[in-house]
Amino acid sequence: MRIAAILAAALLTTAMPATAQEAMPGSYQERALNMESVLLHPRREADRARDQYRHPAETLEFFGVEPGMTVADVMPAGGWYTRVLVPYLGSEGTYIGLDPLIRPGLSAGWNNYANAATRLPESASGWVGSDGAPVVGLNVGDEAVASRAGTVDRLLIFREIHNLRRMGFLHDTLVAARTLLKPDGMVGVVQHRANPDAPADYVLGNNGYQREQDVIGMFEAYGFELVARSEINANPNDPADWDGGVWNLPPSFGNAPEGSPERARRAAIGESDRMTLLFRKRP
């Protein structure tokens, strides 16, 4: 029961807001066992190597995510968190993959984020089969966003703030977040964390890292208030000032050749230092 034990410890060490604790249905042990079965499922065999850096059980517990909720996941990409959230939310929940509005002129790679309404349910079916929550795909700007106004319990952004900023997606995404969230809905953010005194030019998006105070300020400007922060995903060994950005660390390793001493040094550091923030939608 290692994951259940980790979750129990996380409750003692993280500042989960009281509102999130009060809202949780069922016993804590039931939720922990459910999460354990999700994380140990064979479909996650390739994903599990990153659990030590991403701490999915503790992170989702901190965000107050629970079975039966409607959760929007911004830019789910290859589905790492989809494979956790869809089965964990269960048949009474709903999983929404929210991708940006893909405007003309973007590079061809961004076409992979278009047509979420048909693409995401099909992808999720391949990732988790029919196990868990119904899957909805939305692009920011779809009419269906307005039709789901006020229905989402949690909106989650995992390591995508830098992409939202550098590609000009942030404004529309946070406006859509306010539309989708219930009046008491919350936004959970995990993001590569820059040093507090990092130069402005370093944190505009292309290096992956963001200053924590900037992220908090951006959310406050869009009508959200910070209710809790956690060091669940912190890594004090990351200097967070890499030339070329966060992709010098695992799993990318930048230009460090396989088998080289430099690659081994970076592997010992691990993945990036990350902020973990929880915001509430203000009226």
Side-chain angles (χ1 to χ4, degrees), residues 52-234:
Q52 62 181 310
Y53 306 115
R54 296 187 173 186
H55 308 103
E58 300 94 325
T59 299
L60 295 178
E61 184 72 20
F62 176 73
F63 290 154
V65 174
E66 35 186 289
M69 278 188 166
T70 296
V71 173
D73 182 11
V74 174
M75 295 177 66
W80 196 94
Y81 256 108
T82 312
R83 286 185 285 275
V84 177
L85 285 165
V86 169
Y88 182 64
L89 293 174
S91 59
E92 300 301 313
T94 301
Y95 174 89
I96 299 174
L98 181 64
D99 279 333
L101 175 64
I102 305 304
R103 57 186 183 272
L106 293 177
S107 62
W110 286 102
N111 290 334
N112 294 329
Y113 290 87
N115 305 313
T118 54
R119 174 180 48 79
L120 272 172
E122 181 178 347
S123 295
S125 177
W127 293 331
V128 298
S130 58
D131 182 14
V135 174
V136 175
L138 296 177
N139 284 98
V140 172
D142 288 350
E143 292 183 4
V145 171
S147 73
R148 291 184 176 271
T151 66
V152 171
D153 297 288
R154 298 289 185 272
L155 184 137
L156 308 178
I157 308 177
F158 295 107
R159 304 171 316 283
E160 293 290 359
I161 297 292
H162 60 287
N163 281 324
L164 296 176
R165 288 191 71 188
R166 72 188 181 94
M167 299 306 300
F169 298 147
L170 185 68
H171 171 78
D172 290 342
T173 299
L174 293 188
V175 170
R178 287 194 56 81
T179 298
L180 288 167
L181 283 168
K182 295 177 178 179
D184 60 346
M186 294 187 182
V187 178
V189 174
V190 177
Q191 178 59 40
H192 312 295
R193 178 165 52 192
N195 296 313
D197 59 352
D201 286 349
Y202 189 77
V203 296
L204 296 179
N206 289 336
N207 291 302
Y209 291 101
Q210 299 286 288
R211 292 181 299 208
E212 188 166 323
Q213 65 267 33
D214 294 342
V215 174
I216 293 170
M218 285 185 285
F219 274 85
E220 289 176 341
Y222 280 85
F224 297 92
E225 62 179 342
L226 180 70
V227 295
R229 66 177 88 190
S230 172
E231 293 299 297
I232 294 168
N233 297 298

Side-chain angles (χ1 to χ4, degrees), residues 256-264:
E258 189 168 355
S260 67
E262 177 59 19
R263 191 179 182 97

Side-chain angles (χ1 to χ4, degrees), residues 231-260:
E231 293 299 297
I232 294 168
N233 297 298
N235 180 2
N237 296 320
D238 175 15
D241 60 357
W242 300 91
D243 183 15
V246 71
W247 300 280
N248 284 274
L249 288 173
S252 300
F253 289 102
N255 58 359
E258 189 168 355
S260 67

